[in-house]
Amino acid sequence: MPYTDEPAVAVITPTGLSNRRLAYLKELYESLCLQTEVTWEWIIAPNGPRADPGRIPGLIAKDHRVRVCARPDPGPAPARNTALNYVSARFVAFADDDDRLPERSLAVRYDRAMESGLRWVAGWSADWRVDGSLETWMCPTPVGRHEPGDVWTYWPTATGSKPPLGHCMLLTDTQLARAVGHGGLHKGEDYTYVMGVTGRSAGELLPAVVYHRRDHDDQWTADAGYRDQAEFDARTHAWNQGRAERALYRALHSPDGLNEAKSLV
């Protein structure tokens, strides 16, 4: 696969720039620098009370592949959405500021997307434990190609389990990412993104780990108060979105699909 100096993949990272997460951000940057066989750009979107771009480590800020788009107030969902305005690459991925990408994470997904013509390609995520060990999350979505709306079928109930594919596991065509977005939810915006991307276009899950999700005490999702009514509503919203995306696609592409779509009204 030929490569040029132009970025093939954009990585978007919203960050609160808290003191502890600055060290994590450096590790994410180091993992980006180890990506081979693909060119990239990194768009950092600081948001929150400490969102001063001056807090970003100088080594990162001076890298010509990095663009900083400060978003002081709105939170991670709007920060992700508005960061898409500055993407020049054909494909985009999202990475949280406390995680990292294994080697060839971007290349393995990009190569498959280019070979297949698919608008999204995903890989597995692994939990990165405090002791340095990795435990792969065997997500409910099986390895292989999935037609539009099929990923939703692996999510049996809105609140009984989490979505069957992770937001940061995806590499997505930039036009598709912009069309879908993250909504305006305070939390659970990643659920919406996954259902929108996989509901509107065919894609593929590869049997390769492409993301390391750090396990640590400061994770927002690990907080005892995270699973509240807002998170419940976000899951339900995303589940309903996935159901509707599937029905609407089928209405356009199959004789029996129109009745299925009407039943959702």
Side-chain angles (χ1 to χ4, degrees):
M1 182 72 63
Y3 297 93
T4 68
D5 291 334
E6 294 298 318
V9 175
V11 177
I12 291 177
T13 300
T15 176
L17 294 178
S18 66
N19 290 334
R20 182 169 181 178
R21 285 178 179 263
L22 287 176
Y24 296 158
L25 194 69
K26 288 181 183 178
E27 291 188 63
L28 174 56
Y29 174 66
E30 290 167 359
S31 76
L32 277 168
C33 291
L34 292 175
Q35 297 300 304
T36 58
E37 302 174 32
V38 68
T39 52
W40 52 267
E41 60 184 349
W42 190 20
I43 301 171
I44 303 174
N47 59 93
R50 296 175 180 244
D52 178 6
R55 292 176 56 80
I56 296 174
L59 182 65
I60 296 175
K62 293 176 183 177
D63 192 318
H64 72 279
R65 297 166 294 183
V66 176
R67 178 172 293 183
V68 178
C69 303
R71 297 291 180 264
D73 298 321
R80 287 188 178 110
N81 284 341
T82 55
L84 281 166
N85 296 341
Y86 302 94
V87 170
S88 61
R90 181 174 175 180
F91 291 91
V92 63
F94 293 89
D96 291 339
D97 64 353
D98 52 348
D99 298 331
R100 70 179 180 186
L101 305 180
E103 291 185 26
R104 299 202 75 248
S105 166
L106 300 179
V108 71
R109 289 176 285 174
Y110 174 77
D111 285 350
R112 183 56 186 152
M114 295 298 290
E115 291 165 2
S116 64
L118 293 169
R119 288 186 177 270
W120 65 267
V121 173
W124 286 327
S125 175
D127 290 326
W128 179 17
R129 305 301 187 192
V130 176
D131 64 3
S133 63
L134 294 168
E135 182 179 347
T136 302
W137 176 48
M138 304 307 295
C139 61
T141 302
V143 167
R145 179 186 171 102
H146 299 281
E147 298 306 314
D150 283 358
V151 169
W152 172 81
T153 66
Y154 301 106
W155 192 5
T157 62
T159 58
S161 60
K162 61 184 180 180
L165 199 65
H167 165 259
C168 292
M169 297 157 65
L170 288 163
L171 181 78
T172 307
D173 175 272
T174 300
Q175 287 187 329
L176 178 58
R178 285 175 173 152
V180 171
H182 292 77
L185 299 171
H186 171 60
K187 58 176 68 174
E189 72 280 358
D190 50 339
Y191 312 154
T192 295
Y193 182 77
V194 169
M195 289 296 103
V197 166
T198 62
R200 296 189 192 183
S201 187
E204 184 175 355
L205 176 63
L206 304 176
V209 173
V210 300
Y211 197 75
H212 291 168
R213 178 182 175 275
R214 188 191 299 264
D215 185 12
H216 63 94
D217 293 339
D218 290 342
Q219 272 185 346
W220 189 29
T221 54
D223 187 272
Y226 182 79
R227 303 283 182 230
D228 59 4
Q229 186 64 40
E231 202 272 342
F232 172 89
D233 286 339
R235 287 197 187 206
T236 303
H237 169 79
W239 190 90
N240 284 331
Q241 178 188 355
R243 182 184 179 212
E245 292 274 13
R246 176 177 169 82
L248 291 171
Y249 180 87
R250 288 163 63 87
L252 293 172
H253 295 87
S254 69
D256 297 330
L258 183 58
N259 290 331
E260 182 178 342
K262 287 180 178 178
S263 71
L264 299 180
V265 178

